Amino acid sequence: MTLVVVLLVVLILIKSKFFGKGFNENFMGKDQTNALNGIFIFIVLVSHMRGYLHVESSWPMVQMCSTLGQMMVTSFLFISGYGCAVSYQKKGEKYVNAFPRNRILTVLVNFDIAILIYLIFNFILGKTFTIGEIIPALIGWTSIGNSNWYIFAILCLYLGFYICFKLFGKNESHFFLFLSMFVFTAIYIYTVAYFKAKSYWYYDTVLCFPMGVLFAYYKDRVYECITKSNARYLSLLVLFGSAFIYMNKVGGFQFTPMYMNIYAVIFIFFIILILMKVQIGNKVLGFFGTHVFEIYIYQRIPMILLQKFTPLAGDTKYYYIYFILVLLGTLLITVVMHFIYGKVDRLLKAKS
């Protein structure tokens, strides 16, 4: 499956621009953040696909996913926090007042539509669930075959964002705003770690969300400080890159919840530093990045179907066909569900 990694590299390189002496002033622009999310949702798809295939640890595809681990979701959390804070800066109290409806309720309803689809899907395949299994699945606490933990985490983080900005958003110093965001996130981390200690993916990267909020307020100052010289920029790039490699090799996910979250923050800032020098211009990655929710939620349906009803997942010589069909099936479902979700979202806002 080496060509899968090659395909991703090619997608990143096509129409990308490297800034030699200068810097990418638009490093956090919508097109850039979408492309970045596009890269990582592609990796998430590949990572999840490994669970349906017999893979070798030496394969480049497996090594890529193993090296990144949970770091492949850090951009979603960081950019989500950053985007929420930027929207608040532009729209103010009006934005935060509508946040429960426009963000929390929308995500929850869209996710529950997916749960209904997975219930039907599983029923057709001969698998049923009890009410006790379905209810916690509706908020992402458990799964009925779908990807779920990220939805639970983002719903909780959105709730924290709403509470903190409702209480302290108008405070000019922002001290209590940021403090409350980090306290809320810490409470989430240790509470969820208590109940789901072995399911570390529920809590080991969520600190990236409030860091995204914080970065939204100080982005220009940080950029100005870092880009005063190439020497300063390269020093920080090497520092963050070395810290990521060191923490990855030392043990990464085996350590405490806060260790893992600091590790995640170091990684995402390393990626942000790269964006200051590289402009990603690939529209395919942009498409992936604007459909993260649908790709994340529905990718398992073609994976399961192709594994259950075809021989493609059982023989390495068919793996490229399996990958292509999973990709095409996921994109087809994504386009259909994105259209449906657009209708649902407009209906929710109209009803409100």
Side-chain angles (χ1 to χ4, degrees):
M1 298 291 281
T2 304
L3 291 180
V4 174
V5 180
V6 174
L7 173 61
L8 177 60
V9 172
V10 169
L11 288 174
I12 294 171
L13 292 177
I14 290 177
K15 292 190 176 181
S16 288
K17 179 182 177 182
F18 176 75
F19 293 77
K21 294 182 178 180
F23 293 89
N24 179 16
E25 295 180 2
N26 190 41
F27 71 103
M28 287 300 290
K30 193 72 174 175
D31 56 337
Q32 294 299 283
T33 54
N34 282 340
L36 182 63
N37 278 343
I39 293 171
F40 284 109
I41 195 61
F42 182 93
I43 296 173
V44 168
L45 185 146
V46 172
S47 179
H48 286 171
M49 191 173 65
R50 290 180 301 161
Y52 301 89
L53 305 174
H54 302 291
V55 296
E56 300 290 339
S57 60
S58 60
W59 292 1
M61 177 191 80
V62 177
Q63 291 179 340
M64 174 185 69
C65 294
S66 299
T67 300
L68 287 174
Q70 280 295 100
M71 299 305 101
M72 65 184 73
V73 303
T74 54
S75 74
F76 310 145
L77 292 161
F78 184 87
I79 291 170
S80 184
Y82 173 84
C84 289
V86 169
S87 295
Y88 178 81
Q89 289 173 329
K90 292 179 179 178
K91 302 174 184 177
E93 196 70 12
K94 180 180 178 181
Y95 175 76
V96 78
N97 287 338
F99 196 83
R101 179 190 71 228
N102 292 345
R103 286 284 187 137
I104 300 174
L105 181 62
T106 297
V107 170
L108 183 60
V109 170
N110 289 348
F111 180 66
D112 287 346
I113 290 173
I115 293 297
L116 176 60
I117 291 172
Y118 269 92
L119 283 172
I120 297 170
F121 175 71
N122 279 298
F123 180 77
I124 293 172
L125 295 182
K127 188 174 183 180
T128 58
F129 297 90
T130 65
I131 295 297
E133 293 171 318
I134 295 171
I135 290 176
L138 291 173
I139 58 171
W141 183 248
T142 58
S143 171
I144 56 169
N146 57 293
S147 300
N148 63 303
W149 76 264
Y150 180 80
I151 302 301
F152 177 81
I154 205 66
L155 285 171
C156 292
L157 293 168
Y158 278 169
L159 178 62
F161 177 90
Y162 172 71
I163 293 171
C164 296
F165 272 77
K166 191 68 177 174
L167 293 175
F168 305 113
K170 292 181 179 180
N171 191 317
E172 292 184 5
S173 71
H174 305 306
F175 173 79
F176 290 106
L177 173 63
F178 298 139
L179 178 63
S180 62
M181 281 291 304
F182 283 102
V183 168
F184 182 93
T185 306
I187 292 172
Y188 169 89
I189 290 170
Y190 286 103
T191 302
V192 176
Y194 177 80
F195 288 102
K196 286 183 174 287
K198 294 182 179 180
S199 301
Y200 55 82
W201 47 87
Y202 272 83
Y203 56 84
D204 66 350
T205 56
V206 293
L207 189 62
C208 292
F209 184 90
M211 287 303 299
V213 173
L214 180 66
F215 190 71
Y217 280 85
Y218 295 100
K219 174 178 71 74
D220 293 337
R221 295 184 198 179
V222 171
Y223 177 80
E224 183 181 354
C225 178
I226 292 173
T227 60
K228 282 189 174 181
S229 69
N230 271 326
R232 179 179 296 186
Y233 168 81
L234 289 173
S235 297
L236 287 169
L237 186 69
V238 171
L239 176 64
F240 278 91
S242 300
F244 166 70
I245 293 171
Y246 173 77
M247 295 180 81
N248 182 283
K249 296 300 181 183
V250 165
F253 309 128
Q254 303 176 39
F255 288 79
T256 65
M258 198 51 67
Y259 177 97
M260 294 185 285
N261 275 277
I262 292 171
Y263 174 51
V265 169
I266 287 172
F267 174 77
I268 192 58
F269 273 111
F270 175 67
I271 297 300
I272 296 301
L273 284 169
I274 292 176
L275 286 184
M276 291 183 184
K277 276 289 187 181
V278 179
Q279 180 175 307
I280 309 170
N282 192 290
K283 292 184 178 180
V284 174
L285 293 176
F287 174 86
F288 273 75
T290 54
H291 296 80
V292 166
F293 181 87
E294 293 87 356
I295 294 173
Y296 172 76
I297 293 297
Y298 292 104
Q299 59 186 248
R300 293 187 185 274
I301 290 179
M303 290 179 189
I304 294 170
L305 288 175
L306 289 169
Q307 182 198 46
K308 191 173 182 65
F309 296 109
T310 75
L312 300 179
D315 194 326
T316 55
K317 67 183 179 182
Y318 297 131
Y319 279 7
Y320 282 116
I321 299 174
Y322 181 88
F323 168 74
I324 292 170
L325 292 178
V326 165
L327 185 60
L328 292 176
T330 301
L331 293 178
L332 177 61
I333 298 172
T334 291
V335 171
V336 173
M337 293 310 302
H338 189 75
F339 174 79
I340 293 172
Y341 283 146
K343 297 288 187 183
V344 172
D345 294 349
R346 285 190 290 273
L347 181 62
L348 288 174
K349 292 176 182 179
K351 290 287 185 183
S352 299

